[in-house]
Amino acid sequence: MHLPPTFKRLVSAPLSLLTLGVALLCALLNFWGDALLMRLAAGLPPLWQRLWRGVAVLGEPLLMLAIAAAALVVLFALRSRLTAARRDSLRLFGWSLPANWIVTEWLQFLFARHTPQGLLDGDAYGYTFLDTMPGVDSFPAASASGAAALALLVATTWPRLTRLALGYATVVGLGLFFALRHYPADVLGGALIGVLVVSGIRGLQYHYAQD
């Protein structure tokens, strides 16, 4: 099995630099930017926020799990009619999106960051760590993570759709911020996790195919 050229280009050496850069940016936003940016976004007209809230739904975890389930159904129903490359792509969709959701859920429990609503309502800002109470699941943003994972899967499976996929992930991320659901660092961190999970599973898939 050969790695698609687009996949190599997106997740090879530059991925380590991307990871470091996004991690540093998330840290800077946590200390100096997130609260300010969120208060500025909260001052925008309510209609603007409602419009972006509708856009943010496109990255919901349930939608990602539905796509994964559909990919696995197609894989098992049409297995004998599919090429090896297409079977590999469907497996990647079926495994990566649920795995990404699980990783994101665990990280939300680990960091237990207050949502923007806590900041806007009562000045609750920061991390409580290892907590499951409502309102402390802001980092990383699950919808941003799912959208980024799906965008990478689509871009590497159908390279002609790369711009559309990246646009989709970007719009979902902006929606999460402008709808006051997540801080910018949550969105960036979630997107990075989505990329890392898909890259890791694709690497494992390639590794075991060589054995």
Side-chain angles (χ1 to χ4, degrees):
M1 180 173 64
H2 299 287
L3 285 170
T6 307
F7 186 87
K8 289 182 178 179
R9 188 166 61 251
L10 288 173
V11 302
S12 56
L15 185 59
S16 58
L17 296 176
L18 174 67
T19 302
L20 178 60
V22 172
L24 289 174
L25 182 56
C26 286
L28 290 172
L29 285 170
N30 270 293
F31 286 106
W32 290 296
D34 267 352
L36 174 61
L37 290 172
M38 187 52 60
R39 287 194 172 99
L40 290 174
L44 295 172
L47 176 60
W48 174 265
Q49 296 168 10
R50 285 196 294 270
L51 290 173
W52 281 106
R53 194 175 298 124
V55 171
V57 172
L58 297 174
E60 286 294 322
L62 285 178
L63 176 60
M64 301 300 110
L65 295 177
I67 293 172
L72 292 176
V73 167
V74 172
L75 174 63
F76 287 111
L78 304 176
R79 184 181 182 86
S80 60
R81 304 180 188 179
L82 298 171
T83 63
R86 191 59 65 199
R87 289 197 297 270
D88 288 339
S89 295
L90 287 171
R91 288 193 195 97
L92 190 58
F93 272 82
W95 295 342
S96 297
L97 295 175
N100 181 65
W101 173 71
I102 292 171
V103 170
T104 304
E105 288 290 313
W106 273 102
L107 288 173
Q108 286 180 343
F109 165 71
L110 174 63
F111 289 103
R113 187 185 194 186
H114 286 284
T115 62
Q117 203 60 47
L119 172 71
L120 300 174
D121 289 346
D123 217 28
Y125 180 77
Y127 300 82
T128 57
F129 299 104
L130 303 177
D131 201 341
T132 58
M133 71 176 187
V136 291
D137 57 352
S138 193
F139 182 89
S143 293
S145 182
L150 181 60
L152 180 57
L153 288 167
V154 170
T156 54
T157 304
W158 300 287
R160 291 183 179 180
L161 298 179
T162 297
R163 291 183 180 178
L164 179 63
L166 294 177
Y168 156 75
T170 301
V171 167
V172 170
L174 290 174
L176 293 169
F177 169 64
F178 285 119
L180 310 182
R181 288 179 53 184
H182 286 281
Y183 294 102
D186 304 336
V187 174
L188 289 173
L192 178 61
I193 289 163
V195 170
L196 291 175
V197 169
V198 172
S199 304
I201 291 181
R202 188 65 180 89
L204 289 173
Q205 189 181 30
Y206 177 72
H207 172 75
Y208 284 110
Q210 301 304 304
D211 293 341

